[in-house]
């Protein structure tokens, strides 16, 4: 399938946000910019464009073809890269878990939480699409029911009870992602009718609403935590995710090609797997040579530039010389 430039841009922006978050965590050893102001938005925007591509040019929908695509693009990369990265951390002594525990972590979908949740969400969405016979409003309605049930589960039961239920393959986070997959797919299905969302007036409105939502989140200190879910108001989380996704799409559609960002977007899966390892490594190097954070955010910016550079170079090398040859050998198209 021919690549869509604005899709790569949205994914690239999402990965840059994740790299920034991890850079702050590893270098400054705490978040400086509010996690709730940008990380959930980046993750849901990524899910939104994944939904856009979910059934792109597939007429009629083929469950077998879609499951094979999920296997090729998500499941195999998850098991391969998650295993390699965890083994690397274990060998270097950055993990307190035994080798057996690490294996269990990979098998139960705990090694890379977002990718695991995305895998499960896409499988669920494929099943929903098949059962509803591709009726988009019915698909969104089913996903909304799951979203509401998730909110009831989190708001009606105590933390100890929720913790007693294994979150294998991050099924709770998957239900969040599922909702945004459905909106992305709905947007693609009615794209011509929704073309007004890409106008200048729509941009102004989307900016105004998105800024207002972020002010509410900041002023009232609302929780918007996606991993190990902690969300104050699911309604605000949903509205915020939708408007931010539409805003980023509006901007992405009108910008010229930005090579670095679109390249990161094209290799977003690899960059995501590296988003914990490379910020950790670069932060260790800077601290080792005496360039500690010391409440100087310009140093965070410098570290972040190195993180982005190393992530980009590593993604290029891994994609060209390892991943593409490997997956084409394992699963020829």
């Amino acid at each position: 399938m021919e690549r869509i430039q604005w899709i790569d841009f949205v994914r690239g922006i999402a990965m840059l946000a994740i790299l920034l978050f991890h850079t702050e965590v590893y270098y400054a050893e705490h978040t400086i910019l509010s996690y709730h102001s940008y990380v959930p938005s980046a993750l849901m925007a990524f899910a939104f464009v994944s939904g856009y591509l979910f059934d792109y040019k597939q007429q009629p929908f083929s469950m077998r073809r879609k499951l094979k695509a999920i296997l090729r693009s998500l499941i195999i990369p998850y098991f391969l890269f998650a295993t390699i990265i965890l083994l690397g951390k274990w060998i270097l002594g950055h993990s307190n878990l035994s080798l057996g525990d690490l294996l269990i972590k990979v098998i139960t979908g705990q090694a890379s939480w977002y990718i695991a949740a995305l895998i499960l969400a896409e499988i669920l969405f494929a099943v929903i699409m098949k059962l509803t016979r591709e009726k988009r409003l019915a698909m969104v309605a089913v996903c909304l029911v799951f979203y509401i049930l998730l909110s009831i589960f989190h708001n009606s039961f105590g933390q100890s009870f929720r913790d007693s239920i294994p979150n294998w393959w991050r099924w709770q986070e998957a239900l969040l992602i599922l909702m945004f997959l459905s909106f992305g797919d709905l947007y693609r299905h009615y794209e011509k009718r929704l073309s007004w969302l890409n106008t200048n007036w729509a941009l102004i409105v989307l900016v105004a609403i998105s800024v207002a939502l972020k002010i509410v989140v900041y002023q009232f200190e609302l929780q918007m935590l996606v991993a190990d879910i902690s969300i104050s108001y699911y309604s605000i989380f949903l509205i915020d995710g939708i408007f931010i996704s539409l805003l980023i799409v509006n901007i992405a559609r009108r910008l010229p090609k930005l090579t670095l960002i679109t390249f990161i977007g094209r290799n977003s899966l690899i960059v995501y797997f590296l988003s914990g390892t490379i910020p950790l490594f670069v932060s260790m190097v800077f601290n080792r040579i005496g360039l500690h954070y010391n409440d100087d955010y310009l140093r965070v910016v410098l570290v972040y530039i190195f993180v982005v550079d190393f992530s980009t170079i590593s993604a290029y090398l891994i994609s060209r010389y390892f991943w593409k040859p490997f997956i084409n050998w394992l699963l020829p198209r």
Side-chain angles (χ1 to χ4, degrees), residues 7 10-11 14-15 39-54 113-114 117-119 121-122 125 173-187 226 237 241 245 248-249 268:
I7 293 283
V10 174
R11 286 178 163 174
M15 290 304 103
V39 178
S41 301
L43 294 173
M44 295 308 109
F46 191 95
F48 184 91
V49 295
S50 296
Y52 180 93
L53 293 174
F54 190 84
W113 74 267
Y114 187 75
L118 185 60
I119 290 170
E122 290 210 0
F125 195 57
E173 290 86 350
L175 296 184
L176 281 182
I177 292 173
L178 182 66
M179 189 74 256
F180 289 90
L181 284 177
S182 71
F183 280 122
D185 175 76
L186 188 71
Y187 175 84
V226 181
F237 182 90
S245 296
I248 297 175
V249 168
S268 55

Side-chain angles (χ1 to χ4, degrees), residues 179-198:
M179 189 74 256
F180 289 90
L181 284 177
S182 71
F183 280 122
D185 175 76
L186 188 71
Y187 175 84
R188 183 204 61 79
H189 191 72
Y190 294 106
E191 190 168 8
K192 290 183 179 179
R193 299 183 190 180
L194 297 174
S195 59
W196 57 271
L197 285 171
N198 302 314

Side-chain angles (χ1 to χ4, degrees), residues 57-71:
K57 292 184 178 179
Q58 283 195 22
Q59 297 294 335
F61 175 74
S62 168
M63 174 68 81
R64 180 180 179 181
R65 186 166 57 228
K66 174 48 64 177
L67 291 179
K68 183 179 179 180
I70 295 172
L71 176 68

Side-chain angles (χ1 to χ4, degrees), residues 220-231:
F220 292 95
E221 298 181 348
L222 302 184
Q223 294 293 305
M224 306 277 276
L225 187 63
V226 181
D228 300 318
I229 297 174
S230 178
I231 297 174

Side-chain angles (χ1 to χ4, degrees), residues 55-330:
D55 189 33
Y56 192 74
K57 292 184 178 179
Q58 283 195 22
Q59 297 294 335
F61 175 74
S62 168
M63 174 68 81
R64 180 180 179 181
R65 186 166 57 228
K66 174 48 64 177
L67 291 179
K68 183 179 179 180
I70 295 172
L71 176 68
R72 181 188 180 95
S73 63
L74 290 173
I75 296 177
I76 293 176
Y78 166 81
F79 279 105
L80 180 64
F81 290 113
T83 301
I84 292 173
I85 290 170
L86 283 181
L87 280 176
K89 289 183 177 180
W90 181 75
I91 292 171
L92 294 173
H94 291 291
S95 176
N96 295 323
L97 298 176
S98 67
L99 199 57
D101 289 336
L102 288 177
L103 182 60
I104 292 173
K105 194 173 181 180
V106 173
I107 292 173
T108 57
Q110 305 298 318
S112 184
W113 74 267
Y114 187 75
I115 303 302
L118 185 60
I119 290 170
L120 181 56
E122 290 210 0
I123 292 173
L124 287 173
F125 195 57
V127 173
I128 291 169
M129 182 174 284
K130 187 70 174 179
L131 293 177
T132 58
R133 298 181 181 179
E134 303 177 54
K135 295 178 180 177
R136 261 56 193 190
L137 295 181
M139 290 161 58
V140 172
V142 172
C143 294
L144 184 59
V145 168
F146 279 120
Y147 187 83
I148 293 171
L149 290 174
L150 178 67
S151 69
I152 293 172
F153 173 75
H154 276 266
N155 293 328
S156 301
F157 298 97
Q159 185 67 44
S160 59
F161 175 77
R162 297 201 304 269
D163 290 342
S164 67
I165 300 176
N167 192 18
W168 289 342
W169 284 92
R170 292 290 182 161
W171 65 267
Q172 296 175 42
E173 290 86 350
L175 296 184
L176 281 182
I177 292 173
L178 182 66
M179 189 74 256
F180 289 90
L181 284 177
S182 71
F183 280 122
D185 175 76
L186 188 71
Y187 175 84
R188 183 204 61 79
H189 191 72
Y190 294 106
E191 190 168 8
K192 290 183 179 179
R193 299 183 190 180
L194 297 174
S195 59
W196 57 271
L197 285 171
N198 302 314
T199 62
N200 292 333
W201 282 108
L203 177 62
I204 295 171
V205 173
L206 289 170
V207 169
I209 295 175
S210 298
V211 170
L213 286 166
K214 293 306 179 185
I215 291 173
V216 169
V217 171
Y218 180 78
Q219 289 293 329
F220 292 95
E221 298 181 348
L222 302 184
Q223 294 293 305
M224 306 277 276
L225 187 63
V226 181
D228 300 318
I229 297 174
S230 178
I231 297 174
S232 298
Y233 296 99
Y234 277 77
S235 55
I236 293 178
F237 182 90
L238 182 61
I239 295 169
D240 175 80
I242 292 172
F243 277 98
I244 292 294
S245 296
L246 292 174
L247 172 61
I248 297 175
V249 168
N250 184 301
I251 295 172
R253 281 180 174 274
R254 62 181 67 230
L255 288 178
K257 182 177 181 180
L258 300 173
T259 305
L260 176 63
I261 298 177
T262 53
F263 175 82
I264 291 173
R266 286 199 304 273
N267 296 277
S268 55
L269 200 66
I270 296 174
V271 173
Y272 181 83
F273 281 115
L274 297 173
S275 67
T277 304
I278 289 184
L280 173 62
F281 172 74
V282 175
S283 298
M284 288 174 59
V285 171
F286 270 74
N287 286 320
R288 183 67 61 88
I289 64 177
L291 289 175
H292 303 286
Y293 168 51
N294 293 334
D295 295 325
D296 184 356
Y297 200 78
L298 285 178
R299 293 189 177 185
V300 176
V301 174
L302 179 62
V303 173
Y304 179 61
I305 291 172
F306 275 91
V307 166
V308 172
D309 287 343
F310 277 115
S311 298
T312 304
I313 295 169
S314 300
Y316 170 78
L317 294 174
I318 292 171
S319 175
R320 180 167 184 175
Y321 296 108
F322 173 65
W323 172 244
K324 286 182 179 178
F326 173 77
I327 195 63
N328 288 333
W329 166 78
L330 185 66

